[in-house]
Amino acid sequence: MYDCIIVGAGPAGGAAAYHLAKRGRSVLILEKEVFPRYKPCGGGVSPAIAPWFDFDFSPAISLKLRTLRYTWKFDDAVEVELETPEPIWLVRRDVFDHFLVQQAQAQGATLQDQTSVTAIEWLGDRWRVQTPQEPLEAQYLIGADGAKGMMAQWLGLREPKRRSAAALEAQPPLGHDQHIHFEFGMTKNGYIWNFPKADGYSIGMGTFRGGDTHNFEKTLADYAQRFKLAPEQCRQYDHPLCLWDGQHPLHSQNALLAGEAASLVDPFSAEGIRPAIYSGMQGAIAIDRALGGDINALEAYTAEMNNEWGTDMVWAQRLAGVFYRIPGVSYRLGVKRPAATRRMGQVLCGELRYRDVAGNAIKRLSSGLIPGRS
């Protein structure tokens, strides 16, 4: 029997496994895919995660870039150079996730891939996890099975609220593009992101409010053509995003949720890797304390995530509500102001919080709705 079974080997599961194993706990990671596996994702990682670990992430980073390029319907471009000490990391998720799990394995964690979880059962003092191969048992569980996972439902916790998203991968060598691209105006209630890698582009788009049924396939194809990418160079994937949608319990009996299974994705920018890793780390700390006898440790985990991440996401949600409702005004009054975009870069890099910038941004954008105030 294990101290903890983690369902899912993404950033949340990998981070949780690392921090638990480093504390001497027995950890099993269950992953349904063959690992490493492809994951639709832009692959932008905040360097703010670096102090949370005692190893160097360089082997898992494809590029480091600090120039952001914004466009409105592929025109009216704005370029901003981030002044942060460390640029934004651009990663391939198959490489990044595998690297993080390997660090956990080096600490003693066990990975069992090609293993789907079919059911879970609380036995009064431990969890039994059913798989096609055999039942497995642990004192604690972490559900880190992402946007499509079942752990939230099985644990009786609030299921993720899913938004539509799609990804387009162009993997032939294209040279090193030195810009991180954001396109507004080509999709309703959201935006298109384009994160270059050393061997291609990771292009994605998502919706952040309302029930938009926009034709993602056509829009992404049109966007890719602007970068002179032929259809045969690209592969498209559809996937949901689980945006933060208010405070809610993230734990139950001897179990907790982390990452996108806990609906931690930023509702303004769609950033998901940093909150996933933070939740995995905090979840590991909580379970280690629970194993040590702290009966309030999992409740403290919910409080930590709701207070530390959730309170800032309230501001992100408010900003998204205004920004995506009036995108043309938002681009003109917000994105085109270099100071505003630099501050947003600082938010993505973890140097500022939404609470530091959203209030003034909302006032400025809202003024665009009043005649004579824009």
Side-chain angles (χ1 to χ4, degrees), residues 14-51:
Y18 177 81
H19 284 287
L20 269 172
K22 190 172 176 61
R23 287 167 169 78
R25 304 302 184 178
S26 60
V27 182
L28 173 65
I29 313 167
L30 298 179
E31 168 58 45
K32 65 180 180 179
E33 305 291 345
V34 177
F35 218 69
R37 49 80 182 106
Y38 172 75
K39 168 69 176 176
C41 182
V45 180
S46 169
I49 72 166

Side-chain angles (χ1 to χ4, degrees), residues 31 65 84 115 122 128 172 187 226 235 288 331 341 352:
E31 168 58 45
L65 298 179
T84 54
T115 303
W122 175 245
R128 175 170 293 161
T187 184
R226 304 294 186 112
R235 290 188 300 165
D288 178 64
Y331 191 84
T341 51
L352 288 176

Side-chain angles (χ1 to χ4, degrees), residues 273-339:
I273 298 176
R274 175 168 51 134
I277 289 176
Y278 183 74
S279 66
M281 176 181 67
Q282 292 298 330
I285 293 170
I287 287 177
D288 178 64
R289 289 173 177 169
L291 286 163
D294 184 349
I295 62 173
N296 298 313
L298 300 196
E299 184 179 354
Y301 166 75
T302 286
E304 169 70 19
M305 294 307 302
N306 280 322
N307 294 333
E308 181 64 22
W309 183 253
T311 54
D312 208 44
M313 290 303 98
V314 170
W315 284 104
Q317 210 167 34
R318 291 171 182 169
L319 182 58
V322 176
F323 189 98
Y324 295 115
R325 183 161 56 93
I326 50 170
V329 173
S330 298
Y331 191 84
R332 178 164 49 88
L333 296 184
V335 175
K336 291 194 69 174
R337 297 180 64 246

Side-chain angles (χ1 to χ4, degrees), residues 58-356:
S58 294
I61 300 171
S62 179
L63 290 178
K64 293 183 179 183
L65 298 179
R66 61 172 69 252
T67 303
L68 310 179
R69 189 174 193 272
Y70 301 86
T71 54
W72 175 261
K73 295 183 178 179
F74 224 77
D75 198 4
D76 200 13
V78 179
E79 290 190 10
V80 177
E81 189 84 5
L82 294 181
E83 298 174 351
T84 54
E86 176 74 3
I88 294 176
W89 300 351
L90 288 310
V91 306
R92 290 284 188 197
R93 282 289 304 279
D94 54 346
V95 175
F96 183 84
D97 294 4
H98 191 214
F99 177 79
L100 186 51
V101 167
Q102 286 177 317
Q103 307 312 304
Q105 290 175 298
Q107 297 295 327
T110 300
L111 170 67
Q112 187 171 317
D113 64 355
Q114 302 183 71
T115 303
S116 298
V117 174
T118 57
I120 59 174
E121 180 185 5
W122 175 245
L123 301 179
D125 62 348
R126 65 195 185 280
W127 283 100
R128 175 170 293 161
V129 177
Q130 298 290 348
T131 75
Q133 293 91 336
E134 60 180 338
L136 300 160
E137 294 184 353
Q139 285 187 260
Y140 288 86
L141 287 184
I142 294 180
D145 51 343
K148 298 179 181 179
M150 295 293 295
M151 288 294 291
Q153 179 180 331
W154 289 339
L155 292 172
L157 298 171
R158 192 170 83 180
E159 293 184 58
K161 186 174 182 179
R162 298 171 177 89
R163 296 291 187 189
S164 299
L168 191 72
E169 290 286 351
Q171 294 184 331
L174 300 169
H176 290 186
D177 189 333
Q178 297 301 308
H179 301 82
I180 299 173
H181 303 268
F182 298 93
E183 161 56 36
F184 300 92
M186 288 182 69
T187 184
K188 187 178 180 183
N189 294 326
Y191 72 99
I192 299 175
W193 54 89
N194 182 354
F195 290 177
K197 308 298 189 303
D199 59 348
Y201 290 109
S202 294
I203 301 170
M205 64 184 295
T207 59
F208 303 95
R209 61 186 297 271
D212 195 339
T213 57
H214 195 75
N215 188 335
F216 281 6
E217 183 175 355
K218 183 179 185 305
T219 302
L220 280 179
D222 291 345
Y223 182 83
Q225 286 181 355
R226 304 294 186 112
F227 281 81
K228 296 181 172 55
L229 299 175
E232 60 271 15
Q233 292 178 297
C234 305
R235 290 188 300 165
Q236 184 170 328
Y237 305 83
D238 295 322
H239 64 97
L241 289 173
C242 296
L243 306 182
W244 178 267
D245 191 35
Q247 297 193 2
H248 55 284
L250 298 177
H251 73 283
S252 64
Q253 179 67 58
N254 284 41
L256 57 83
L257 297 177
E260 205 160 353
S263 299
L264 298 181
V265 175
D266 184 326
F268 179 74
S269 71
E271 180 188 12
I273 298 176
R274 175 168 51 134
I277 289 176
Y278 183 74
S279 66
M281 176 181 67
Q282 292 298 330
I285 293 170
I287 287 177
D288 178 64
R289 289 173 177 169
L291 286 163
D294 184 349
I295 62 173
N296 298 313
L298 300 196
E299 184 179 354
Y301 166 75
T302 286
E304 169 70 19
M305 294 307 302
N306 280 322
N307 294 333
E308 181 64 22
W309 183 253
T311 54
D312 208 44
M313 290 303 98
V314 170
W315 284 104
Q317 210 167 34
R318 291 171 182 169
L319 182 58
V322 176
F323 189 98
Y324 295 115
R325 183 161 56 93
I326 50 170
V329 173
S330 298
Y331 191 84
R332 178 164 49 88
L333 296 184
V335 175
K336 291 194 69 174
R337 297 180 64 246
T341 51
R342 286 195 186 96
R343 281 194 289 272
M344 189 61 206
Q346 289 178 290
V347 171
L348 294 175
C349 288
E351 293 189 352
L352 288 176
R353 308 292 298 273
Y354 278 106
R355 70 190 69 166
D356 301 322

